[in-house]
Amino acid sequence: MTMAKASEHHSSKIVKLLYVGDSGTGKSGSLVSLVEAGYKLRVLDLDNGIDPLITYTKHQCPANLDNIEYETRRDKYKSSSQGPIISGTPKAFVDSLSLMTKWTSEPSDPSMWGPDYVFVLDSLTALGRAALDWATGMAPMAKDPRNWYFTAQKAVENVIAMLTSEGFACNVIIISHIQFKELSDGTTKGYANAVGSALGPIIPKYFNSMVLAQSQGTGKNVKRTIQTVPTAMVDLKNPVPFKLD
């Protein structure tokens, strides 16, 4: 077996980024900077939130509008005496998995797109909900709901493992809302919100890059920033700390 030497190591041109932030901090809209830079974005839209990105692109770089392709997948709900329930069979999670292996346009295999493409999962939070609906639909008579959560959590973790692997050879941005959790020492930490609370602390291990969207002020004085340095409540990762503030 040949030993790899650190002096021969070259950083990959492919970026796998976990992008967290509360709703309204501009996560989806900020992707316009990548469109403007010439990247081809392929957005798996589970939040039905593609409008801000398209609006900003029309304003800042309309010539690049067709660099964005998106597929929206959400399960339909209907009213019932037990409250809102899935209308029919949950399909959003399975459909999302299909799009991760075969996109609807050419080139169709996302794992072969290369460094000029960015696969965007918007959002991990919505994917987690879709996975829970799928798991519930697979075993609707389960007596312990924890079985549904366990199945959904393992499925979502497997998706993250696939998207962040070397075999998925294109840039990946996974957008997530934040779930705050009180730890045993009394401190509070913010984690990517997927499904349940057990998965949140595990997700960051799959990423070398993790940033936080924040907003300050109100109305016309709102200032949105992308934070790369850890905060007191949210741990972040910056693989090039000497180049990127």
Side-chain angles (χ1 to χ4, degrees):
M1 182 181 293
T2 304
M3 282 295 224
K5 296 181 180 179
S7 60
E8 299 172 352
H9 177 266
H10 297 283
S11 297
S12 173
K13 294 181 179 180
I14 301 293
V15 174
K16 306 298 176 78
L17 173 71
L18 180 60
Y19 190 10
V20 301
D22 291 328
S23 181
T25 51
K27 299 183 296 298
S28 300
S30 67
L31 300 179
V32 67
S33 61
L34 299 175
V35 182
E36 194 167 20
Y39 287 96
K40 299 176 177 64
L41 269 62
R42 302 295 180 259
V43 184
L44 177 51
D45 173 31
L46 290 144
D47 276 343
N48 197 23
I50 196 73
D51 287 359
L53 174 58
I54 293 177
T55 299
Y56 278 112
T57 302
K58 287 180 177 178
H59 176 71
Q60 292 182 212
C61 49
N64 292 356
L65 189 60
D66 285 342
N67 280 5
I68 304 171
E69 290 184 10
Y70 67 94
E71 290 285 347
T72 300
R73 294 291 185 273
R74 293 187 75 173
D75 287 317
K76 294 181 180 180
Y77 282 77
K78 64 181 180 180
S79 297
S80 76
S81 57
Q82 290 80 38
I85 60 173
I86 294 286
S87 178
T89 303
K91 296 181 179 179
F93 183 68
V94 174
D95 286 352
S96 296
L97 293 179
S98 296
L99 286 166
M100 293 176 199
T101 56
K102 186 177 182 181
W103 195 253
T104 50
S105 66
E106 295 295 334
S108 63
D109 185 354
S111 68
M112 303 294 291
W113 282 343
D116 293 333
Y117 286 78
V118 184
F119 178 85
V120 180
L121 174 58
D122 191 4
S123 66
L124 182 63
T125 309
L127 183 72
R129 179 169 184 168
L132 182 59
D133 288 336
W134 162 79
T136 304
M138 292 281 287
M141 304 307 292
K143 295 181 179 180
D144 189 346
R146 288 178 296 183
N147 293 331
W148 297 331
Y149 277 89
F150 177 79
T151 300
Q153 286 169 350
K154 293 304 294 182
V156 170
E157 185 177 357
N158 287 340
V159 169
I160 295 171
M162 178 187 70
L163 293 178
T164 56
S165 69
E166 290 185 0
F168 201 86
C170 74
N171 299 295
V172 173
I173 296 178
I174 297 181
I175 295 176
S176 177
H177 299 88
I178 299 178
Q179 182 180 50
F180 291 96
K181 182 178 180 181
E182 186 173 347
L183 306 181
S184 57
D185 61 1
T187 60
T188 299
K189 283 288 186 180
Y191 298 102
N193 185 9
V195 53
S197 60
L199 187 56
I202 297 173
I203 293 171
K205 75 178 184 180
Y206 289 99
F207 296 88
N208 288 327
S209 302
M210 180 175 171
V211 297
L212 170 68
Q214 291 183 310
S215 62
Q216 295 177 327
T218 59
K220 294 182 179 181
N221 296 320
V222 168
K223 180 180 180 181
R224 292 185 171 95
T225 58
I226 297 175
Q227 181 90 7
T228 63
V229 179
T231 71
M233 299 180 72
V234 182
D235 293 326
L236 304 175
K237 297 183 181 181
N238 178 3
V240 285
F242 306 112
K243 296 181 179 179
L244 182 66
D245 291 335

